[in-house]
Amino acid sequence: MAPLSGIPGSGLAKGLAVTLRTMTKRSVTAQYPDALPELPPRSRGVIALFEENCTVCMLCARECPDWCIYIDSHKETAPPAAPGGRERSRNVLDRFAIDFALCMYCGICIEVCPFDALFWSPEFEYAESDILDLTHERDKLRDWMWTVPAPPALDPAAEEPKEIAAARKAADKAAAAAAAAAATAEPGQGEQAEQGEQSDRSDRSDDQGKGDA
Amino acid sequence: MNDTLDVVLRLIAVLVVFLVLPLLVGQTEHKVMAHMQGRLGPMYAGGFHGWAQLVADGVKFAQKEDIVPADADRRVFQLAPAVALLPYLLVLIAIPVGPDGFVGQTVDAGLIFVLAVMGVGVLGSLMAGWASANKFSLLGGLRTAAQLMAYELPMLLTAASVAMAAGTLSLPGIVDGYHWWWTPWQLVGGVVFFTAGLAELQRPPFDMPVADSEIIFGAYTEYTGLRFALFLLAEYAGIVVLCALTTVLFLGGWHGPWSGSAGWLWTLVKTALLAFVVIWLRVSYPRLREDQLQKLAWTVLIPLSLAQIALTGVVKVVIS
């Protein structure tokens, strides 16, 4: 630039050169409805709900900075596990809705969910002509769950995910106990105790396993 | 009878050219401008790369309501688009395309006819600006007038230089007398002529009369529908005429390899290249300020054209 600027008209020529060079390059226009965009992984398109994992803990609704999550639930009781025990109670989700007209896509609800029930989906084509229609209910949010991509692969030297490590540890322990039981003379007693413990553990790991999916 | 048929056919041919070439230039402008800015331009109208965009625009303009402002000078307001457009049709009749009478009508003093009639086209903007009863239109009209005053002079002077070189005012005569070394000889004149022509057409970077950021759309602010479309068409017809005229006067018209059989093609190719340059300049340069525009005309273009005339005279005397 500096050595050229001495020649009169070099600025004009430079302007022409820039436009001509741009013309020979491929244009950057994305022909969106005809060609879908290539979205980066972890795109924040829409929030999907994996409702099987939701325990109605309300953390997401309370953490949401613009209060765009609506949750209704009721409590159901189940008969006691053992006779004479207390009734078990659990929360049942009645309504889970996100108002995407208010949502600012901060992702705090997804971060804060302790049971991995909320996920980012790259799906973005859910425009509506009425702002009220942007409040999407649980069935729609559940449908978006199918568009959630698999979690990115771990780094080569990364530590094993916590839930897999825990599950493996439990499995190892169970196998060792089974081996020990087989080694001792009486097989019947040891196995029963073993089974009770195992089913308890599998319940927990089941929850986490789904969240992982 | 045969003569009548001949005249009618020539007129029809000129009319077809008048209707088709400006649209081609307009479509090229859409696409070239888009790609120069890293865009694609129209892609849908007509299916293939938006080839029918201007047809669609025309249909849209035809559907729009034709409004005349209440305080406008009704007659003049309605007449202005025709005054802006028709001169270019008339000029097109006199521009030679190929050798041996490949021209709408040979006019003896063709150069004078062409320049005089082209000047009339600008009156359309002036009429529009005055008749609209709108201060922005009036400002635009006054700017148009100032621009016409400033740029008609260098344009005429450089055209006179070519006429001196050829020793004739007839356009086919000028092309007939052309030799390749005329182009370097008249180079300065050609550049001045082209620049002044751009300014007279109010093309960017000389579009102060319609400067949309300052005076909305100048003289055309109050126009809608077909009348507005006619003004736009006049601009593109003006590009065709200016490029064809520059080709004829400075680039040797139909001269080129195989000019005997494909001379008309040479004229068209040269015209198209110049039209590309017109678009290119529009994309590359920002609009000049009104005072810069006047300064360019009076302190640069007119001295240059006078120098060109002097050079032409000296060379003419030396070689004869």
Side-chain angles (χ1 to χ4, degrees):
Chain A
M1 180 64 204
L4 270 180
S5 60
I7 308 161
S10 62
L12 296 177
K14 205 177 165 203
L16 289 174
V18 166
T19 43
L20 196 65
R21 216 178 309 129
T22 312
M23 192 180 71
T24 56
K25 284 189 197 140
R26 274 195 91 75
S27 69
V28 294
T29 306
Q31 289 192 280
Y32 156 59
D34 296 330
L36 287 176
E38 268 188 42
L39 295 172
R42 307 193 203 177
S43 291
R44 297 186 168 201
V46 74
I47 295 166
L49 168 71
F50 191 60
E51 63 178 53
E52 288 85 339
N53 276 2
C54 180
T55 62
V56 203
C57 67
M58 305 288 288
L59 283 180
C60 51
R62 277 188 287 163
E63 292 295 332
C64 177
D66 38 17
W67 295 90
C68 69
I69 301 180
Y70 306 95
I71 299 177
D72 289 334
S73 69
H74 68 273
K75 198 169 267 189
E76 273 181 6
T77 51
R86 210 178 124 202
E87 283 186 322
R88 296 288 182 94
S89 69
R90 56 183 271 269
N91 286 323
V92 178
L93 189 64
D94 291 330
R95 178 182 185 223
F96 194 108
I98 300 179
D99 187 350
F100 285 103
L102 292 179
C103 177
M104 59 177 180
Y105 300 86
C106 64
I108 289 177
C109 53
I110 292 165
E111 291 298 322
V112 86
C113 179
F115 301 104
D116 279 341
L118 291 170
F119 293 87
W120 278 121
S121 156
E123 186 65 28
F124 61 93
E125 291 172 309
Y126 51 97
E128 300 284 350
S129 46
D130 186 343
I131 196 168
L132 296 178
D133 295 337
L134 275 170
T135 304
H136 288 297
E137 299 292 335
R138 64 194 278 193
D139 47 347
K140 193 88 187 270
L141 298 177
R142 181 65 182 81
D143 281 345
W144 275 321
M145 200 56 219
W146 300 109
T147 63
V148 174
L154 292 172
D155 291 338
E159 160 188 354
E160 189 171 44
K162 290 279 185 295
E163 55 266 43
I164 292 180
R168 226 224 354 245
K169 221 165 138 190
D172 286 350
K173 218 168 155 187
T184 56
E186 296 294 319
Q189 265 188 332
E191 237 171 80
Q192 263 187 345
E194 196 52 45
Q195 267 178 354
E197 210 181 83
Q198 231 175 5
S199 67
D200 205 5
R201 268 192 202 122
S202 70
D203 274 352
R204 230 182 296 148
S205 66
D206 210 28
D207 272 354
Q208 285 164 341
K210 271 176 199 162
D212 207 28
Chain B
M1 185 61 211
N2 230 355
D3 282 354
T4 321
L5 191 68
D6 186 58
V7 168
V8 168
L9 281 181
R10 278 167 190 270
L11 288 183
I12 288 175
V14 169
L15 188 65
V16 167
V17 166
F18 179 70
L19 291 178
V20 170
L21 283 191
L23 291 186
L24 275 181
V25 172
Q27 182 70 16
T28 315
E29 177 168 79
H30 269 316
K31 293 308 261 187
V32 167
M33 198 155 105
H35 282 278
M36 280 181 169
Q37 296 168 342
R39 300 180 287 120
L40 288 171
M43 287 299 282
Y44 286 95
F48 180 75
H49 285 263
W51 66 268
Q53 183 61 46
L54 289 179
V55 180
D57 283 348
V59 171
K60 183 196 77 176
F61 279 129
Q63 287 170 343
K64 285 196 169 184
E65 187 187 358
D66 188 26
I67 299 171
V68 181
D71 287 340
D73 190 339
R74 212 177 165 78
R75 273 250 200 74
V76 180
F77 184 86
Q78 290 179 327
L79 197 64
V83 174
L85 185 60
L86 283 183
Y88 294 116
L89 176 62
L90 289 179
V91 170
L92 221 49
I93 291 177
I95 292 180
V97 180
D100 309 322
F102 196 157
V103 54
Q105 173 66 46
T106 315
V107 183
D108 281 341
L111 191 55
I112 289 183
F113 170 78
V114 159
L115 290 174
V117 175
M118 265 181 90
V120 174
V122 183
L123 289 183
S125 309
L126 215 53
M127 287 165 64
W130 185 255
S132 291
N134 175 320
K135 63 185 171 195
F136 295 113
S137 298
L138 184 57
L139 278 174
L142 289 179
R143 286 187 179 191
T144 308
Q147 205 154 319
L148 174 72
M149 291 281 287
Y151 282 87
E152 193 73 3
L153 191 56
M155 208 170 166
L156 288 176
L157 288 175
T158 48
S161 154
V162 175
M164 275 168 66
T168 171
L169 282 175
S170 147
L171 290 176
I174 289 174
V175 186
D176 268 332
Y178 177 84
H179 298 285
W180 68 266
W181 48 269
W182 277 28
T183 299
W185 179 24
Q186 303 289 341
L187 182 67
V188 175
V191 171
V192 170
F193 182 86
F194 193 64
T195 312
L198 277 184
E200 206 150 304
L201 294 177
Q202 303 163 9
R203 286 287 299 177
F206 304 110
D207 60 337
M208 302 74 163
V210 294
D212 49 358
S213 51
E214 298 162 22
I215 48 173
I216 308 185
F217 209 59
Y220 318 134
T221 303
E222 295 288 357
Y223 282 86
T224 57
L226 268 184
R227 286 181 208 281
F228 182 73
L230 288 184
F231 273 121
L232 286 189
L233 188 63
E235 181 176 335
Y236 289 95
I239 294 175
V240 172
V241 165
L242 171 71
C243 295
L245 214 53
T246 311
T247 303
V248 165
L249 294 181
F250 297 96
L251 298 179
W254 60 75
H255 288 285
W258 306 288
S259 60
S261 53
W264 58 275
L265 202 59
W266 275 112
T267 310
L268 284 185
V269 166
K270 289 171 183 174
T271 307
L273 279 178
L274 283 176
F276 174 79
V277 172
V278 171
I279 298 165
W280 191 9
L281 291 172
R282 171 178 180 178
V283 182
S284 302
Y285 297 142
R287 181 188 307 128
L288 271 71
R289 224 168 41 219
E290 186 64 21
D291 62 309
Q292 292 171 329
L293 173 94
Q294 295 293 333
K295 198 176 167 194
L296 177 71
W298 295 105
T299 65
V300 179
L301 293 187
I302 289 177
L304 277 181
S305 52
L306 287 173
Q308 175 67 58
I309 285 190
L311 176 72
T312 309
V314 168
V315 173
K316 192 78 182 165
V317 169
V318 167
I319 61 173
S320 62

